[in-house]
Amino acid sequence: MDFTPTEEQTAARDLAAGIFGDLSTPERLAAAGSGTDGELWKALCAAGLTSAVEDVGLLGLVLLLEEQGRTTAQVPFAVSCVYGLLAVGRHGTREQRARLLPALRDGSAVATGAFPDRGAVRAGADGRLTGTTGWVPWLRDATHVLVPDADRRLWLVRVADAGTVPVVTTAPWAAAELRLEATPAERLGSVGAYGDVLAAARVAYAGLQAGVCAGSLARAVAHTSVREQFGRPLSTRQAVQLRAADAHMDTEAIRVTAYEAAWRFDEGLPCASHVLTAGWWASEAGRRVVHTGQHLHGGIGADLDHPVHRHFLWGRQIDAHLGCGARLLDELGAVLADEEHEEHDEPAGHDEPAGHSEPAGHSEPAGHSEPGRLGRRSGHEERRGHEEQGDQEEQEETA
């Protein structure tokens, strides 16, 4: 495996770092409140960073989200790319891609997702949805929301057609509760689309968490290097050095597991366990790092207006959004046990990679539909395969 960014990925990351660094300042973040920083969002879209995600893949998106996380930039970048651009690009029909992708690329449309699935939404025979979800990040600023029903089929809903109730969270993500009452929706993708989108979302949020942790640690290092106690900088104290070193190792673990999961996803390789591993590290280690970052600031870390406090709140919200470590570990254990069972059941002399069945109680594999089980295709071949499948389904519906 090779995680070295391509020239396109490196250029996109550097451009994102410059825009986030220039525009996502503590003063602007405070002024944005719980909504989107409109100027920053326009700058990202005008620079082509939203549309670039289709070319740089999930690994490229992880690199971009790291830069967002460093500054806790107040834009719906992760959700619109995962639940909009990537979901429609990989699973939409030709008509859906032509109709939806242009607006998602230029930022005039913003997508989010009611993930993970809680089985709260039911789809009627007429394709209308009924049910109430928990809080959905960025829903108040979104134009479309991707909703899984109780059977884990994906539906795209226009927010204007649904009911929303604002929800206050510790991280200002313009969240809201989604209420559906015979709400019109359009089907997106077929069997396996839910697992595929959930996998991409978990990896994307792991990348975002890596950036949040890196930003928190950088602030802690800067603070302890200048803050003196008994005539010496705090950074010279062994206890401070050990806490910072542990936080650095945790941050690197989050980063490398996210890179590996994203790379395997892009290459169409089996990655269910890798996705859950990345999610677990982002949840468990991420929580430790943001606590350390706040702790190393001493009393200043308890100041709600201090920039490091935003990293703390974002880290805890990402932990909760990923599903928390214990739940992810439970899913990972089921996947590993299932893979081991299949390995023992594999016929002698079979050279193909072991298949993957569903963990008990799940209608789809946890985290990823794993198109790579059918053969090791490149990311571009995988996308073409999804497009051809969508076109075929569209032709069948028309016929």
Side-chain angles (χ1 to χ4, degrees):
M1 61 187 68
D2 183 6
F3 304 150
T4 304
T6 63
E7 291 184 8
E8 292 80 4
Q9 291 170 338
T10 301
R13 180 192 61 193
D14 293 345
L15 179 58
I19 295 175
F20 285 128
D22 291 341
L23 296 182
S24 185
T25 62
E27 295 76 20
R28 290 179 60 87
L29 291 171
S34 63
T36 298
D37 183 335
E39 183 179 343
L40 175 56
W41 182 241
K42 289 179 181 178
L44 292 170
C45 297
L49 289 176
T50 46
S51 59
V53 171
E54 295 177 276
D55 298 319
V56 299
L58 185 57
L59 180 55
L61 177 58
V62 166
L63 295 173
L64 299 178
L65 292 176
E66 273 193 82
E67 301 306 325
Q68 179 186 2
R70 291 179 198 276
T71 60
T72 60
Q74 196 70 8
V75 287
F77 194 44
V79 291
S80 196
C81 288
V82 170
Y83 301 122
L85 280 166
L86 293 182
V88 174
R90 288 173 66 88
H91 301 288
T93 63
R94 178 177 295 178
E95 186 276 331
Q96 286 175 320
R97 295 194 301 272
R99 172 166 47 89
L100 298 169
L101 288 180
L104 290 168
R105 288 169 183 149
D106 64 25
S108 57
V110 175
T112 186
F115 280 68
D117 165 48
R118 295 290 185 271
V121 175
R122 301 283 176 179
D126 57 355
R128 292 178 176 266
L129 305 182
T130 300
T132 301
T133 72
W135 67 276
V136 179
W138 299 108
L139 183 59
R140 280 181 276 163
D141 291 342
T143 57
H144 297 79
V145 56
L146 192 62
V147 181
D149 65 16
D151 296 320
R152 294 191 172 180
R153 295 172 298 181
L154 294 184
W155 303 85
L156 198 62
V157 177
R158 292 197 320 135
V159 176
D161 296 332
T164 60
V165 178
V167 174
V168 178
T169 66
T170 55
W173 288 352
E177 183 182 86
L178 181 67
R179 295 185 175 180
L180 305 170
E181 296 180 6
T183 303
E186 60 177 306
R187 179 77 183 276
L188 185 72
S190 56
V191 176
Y194 171 81
D196 188 76
V197 173
L198 178 59
R202 282 173 164 166
V203 176
Y205 270 92
L208 185 62
Q209 185 77 303
V212 170
C213 291
S216 175
L217 184 58
R219 291 189 180 280
V221 169
H223 173 76
T224 56
S225 296
V226 298
R227 178 74 171 178
E228 292 189 356
Q229 186 181 62
F230 303 114
R232 294 171 54 191
L234 287 174
S235 59
T236 63
R237 306 290 177 180
Q238 188 178 43
V240 172
Q241 293 172 356
L242 291 174
R243 286 293 300 275
D246 286 343
H248 171 73
M249 294 304 296
D250 274 339
T251 302
E252 288 301 300
I254 298 170
R255 177 181 290 116
V256 73
T257 52
Y259 285 4
E260 181 179 12
W263 176 80
R264 295 182 69 89
F265 183 94
D266 287 339
E267 293 298 314
L269 297 172
C271 61
S273 59
H274 303 81
V275 167
L276 290 166
T277 299
W280 182 84
W281 273 104
S283 176
E284 290 288 304
R287 185 171 65 249
R288 289 196 297 265
V289 173
V290 296
H291 272 271
T292 294
Q294 191 174 43
H295 187 203
L296 291 180
H297 277 77
I300 297 176
D303 183 355
L304 301 184
D305 295 325
H306 195 281
V308 78
H309 192 64
R310 285 184 61 90
H311 290 273
F312 174 78
L313 296 180
W314 274 54
R316 293 309 306 266
Q317 282 291 335
I318 292 173
D319 167 32
H321 188 65
L322 284 167
C324 298
R327 178 176 177 178
L328 293 167
L329 200 60
D330 181 61
E331 287 189 51
L332 177 59
V335 169
L336 293 177
D338 193 54
E339 289 178 348
E340 182 179 0
H341 176 73
E342 290 175 355
E343 184 177 340
H344 286 305
D345 289 347
E346 189 69 28
H350 186 67
D351 295 329
E352 294 296 323
H356 180 64
S357 60
E358 301 169 9
H362 292 270
S363 60
E364 292 179 24
H368 186 41
S369 59
E370 303 207 351
R373 296 287 180 183
L374 302 179
R376 297 193 174 187
R377 297 182 289 176
S378 69
H380 292 295
E381 291 173 331
E382 183 63 37
R383 284 190 290 275
R384 284 199 300 271
H386 283 292
E387 292 176 359
E388 292 170 358
Q389 178 184 357
D391 295 339
Q392 182 179 358
E393 292 172 357
E394 184 178 21
Q395 293 171 1
E396 291 175 353
E397 292 175 1
T398 303

